[in-house]
Amino acid sequence: MELIKDLLILILPSLLTAVFSYLGIDKIKFQRYQRLIEIAEEAVLYADDYYPESPGVDKLKEAIEYFKTAAQKAGFWVSDKEAEEKVRIAYQALQRQALNNLARQLVGE
């Protein structure tokens, strides 16, 4: 098992570099994408915390506005379409994470 882990540690970075290169994603693009997803998750949590009684559509609007402002402060320009996509991706990821945590609790891990 330890051998497999060591091999993965050695091979995985090269493999990921090759995949990203094939897809046309360089390190800077990846870092930008990663940072925008972090900002989007922050925006979703912000909307949930500050607008708990608002319907989903209003929370989405608030999260998108928060995202656009935070992205701009971080030095990224994003279109309205990209802002909505990133916020929706973050919402789905956080929802999946919450469901996984709930399932673990039910199973007793």
Side-chain angles (χ1 to χ4, degrees), residues 8 10 18 30 38 51 58 60 64 71 81 85 94 100-101:
L8 283 175
L10 289 172
F30 180 73
E38 289 171 359
Y51 302 97
D58 291 340
L60 177 63
I64 290 170
K81 181 182 177 191
E85 287 172 356
L94 290 170
N100 287 339
N101 290 341

Side-chain angles (χ1 to χ4, degrees), residues 29-91:
K29 285 182 185 177
F30 180 73
Q31 288 174 340
R32 178 185 186 276
Y33 177 81
Q34 192 173 27
R35 180 64 183 125
L36 288 175
I37 290 297
E38 289 171 359
I39 293 170
E41 287 178 353
E42 183 181 312
V44 169
L45 294 173
Y46 164 82
D48 279 344
D49 286 347
Y50 286 94
Y51 302 97
E53 303 299 321
S54 297
V57 174
D58 291 340
K59 283 184 184 182
L60 177 63
K61 288 179 185 177
E62 291 297 332
I64 290 170
E65 286 305 313
Y66 180 96
F67 173 80
K68 288 173 22 181
T69 301
Q72 191 173 33
K73 285 181 183 177
F76 301 113
W77 180 88
V78 292
S79 67
D80 291 340
K81 181 182 177 191
E82 183 180 15
E84 183 176 348
E85 287 172 356
K86 296 290 189 271
V87 168
R88 287 182 184 273
I89 289 169
Y91 175 76

